[in-house]
Amino acid sequence: MRNTWPARLLESPAVRVGLSVSVATGLYGVSFGALSITSGLDFWQTMALSLLLFSGGPQFAFIGVVAGGGSGLAAMGAATLLGMRNGIYGMQLNVLLHPKGWRRYAAAQLTIDESTATSTGQTDPAEQQRGFWAAGIGIFVLWNIFTAVGALAGGALGDPKQWGLDGAAVAAFLGLLWPRLKGREPVAIAVVCALATVLAVPFVPAGVPILIAAVVAALIGWFSHGPRDEGLEPDIDPYTEHHHGPHRQSGSVGGSGA
């Protein structure tokens, strides 16, 4: 077989890891698409979230607030708070990858947990570049394809309350969040924030409790300093099985994906 450039590219360890992570993470899009439709958004609103926001955890938070009857402003606030970590990743990757021209804008859109983890898990600068773009582009394409599949499937379900799906978006977000907590302090903070949310629900409009919980978490973080290796893990750790070299740097601060 001729040694063409696609074949040579697939010989890259970072590309292979990035593509495998893309499939695993992209499949989450089915859940997001279906839950978004059952939460009250239409097909194009759902696709706009995946195309433009493109960050799994914040997307689930957005539709969770909407499903709970919260305002669009509250949903945006919740998504923004969870998406701030991508800005921190962006500063790290800007130093690591030095994107130029239009690639800076593309890289900003593709900076998520998994693309950051795939890139920083490599020691060779060229492999860092390949890993970032392979994971970022692969997840973006598959996440949006599977979002569309899920949205079409969700639209066929009808009234979400008939199936008990009106609370499914919140449950899905919690299902993604809980396994990613690493260390006793983040677990304790999550429990305190959950309690603050429950106590606030009867007294404030829908969507506001999650903002209150975020303030509580920020205050706890401000006054306490846990071990530096504690925090949140990415949705998919690309080096659990596929890579035996130096691990990526911790993705602290906080989808799907995404």
Side-chain angles (χ1 to χ4, degrees), residues 99-191:
K100 303 294 183 182
W102 63 268
R103 290 181 178 83
R104 291 175 61 89
Y105 301 100
Q109 178 67 359
L110 299 177
T111 297
I112 55 174
D113 291 343
E114 288 73 25
S115 60
T116 301
T118 304
S119 178
T120 57
Q122 303 296 325
T123 55
D124 179 69
E127 286 294 280
Q128 290 171 346
Q129 293 269 358
R130 296 186 191 108
F132 174 81
W133 292 108
I137 294 173
I139 293 172
F140 183 83
V141 171
L142 293 179
W143 178 266
N144 281 281
I145 289 173
F146 285 114
T147 292
V149 172
L152 294 173
L157 293 176
D159 184 0
K161 294 182 179 179
Q162 282 186 325
W163 304 92
L165 295 176
D166 43 324
V170 178
F173 174 68
L174 291 176
L176 287 175
L177 173 65
W178 190 257
R180 295 173 60 192
L181 294 174
K182 180 186 178 185
R184 290 175 296 178
E185 183 176 344
V187 171
I189 293 174
V191 171

Side-chain angles (χ1 to χ4, degrees), residues 60-76:
F60 278 100
F62 186 98
I63 63 173
V65 173
V66 171
S71 66
L73 185 61
M76 288 175 58

Side-chain angles (χ1 to χ4, degrees), residues 27-127:
L27 287 170
Y28 284 161
V30 174
S31 297
F32 172 74
L35 293 174
S36 179
I37 293 296
T38 59
S39 297
L41 277 67
D42 63 28
F43 177 84
W44 295 112
Q45 290 171 328
T46 297
M47 292 306 303
L49 280 176
S50 279
L51 287 164
L52 302 177
L53 179 55
F54 182 55
S55 186
Q59 290 182 229
F60 278 100
F62 186 98
I63 63 173
V65 173
V66 171
S71 66
L73 185 61
M76 288 175 58
T80 299
L81 286 169
L82 289 170
M84 287 175 63
R85 71 189 190 278
N86 292 336
I88 298 173
Y89 296 159
M91 291 186 287
Q92 179 184 13
L93 289 170
N94 188 51
V95 174
L96 194 68
L97 304 179
H98 304 290
K100 303 294 183 182
W102 63 268
R103 290 181 178 83
R104 291 175 61 89
Y105 301 100
Q109 178 67 359
L110 299 177
T111 297
I112 55 174
D113 291 343
E114 288 73 25
S115 60
T116 301
T118 304
S119 178
T120 57
Q122 303 296 325
T123 55
D124 179 69
E127 286 294 280

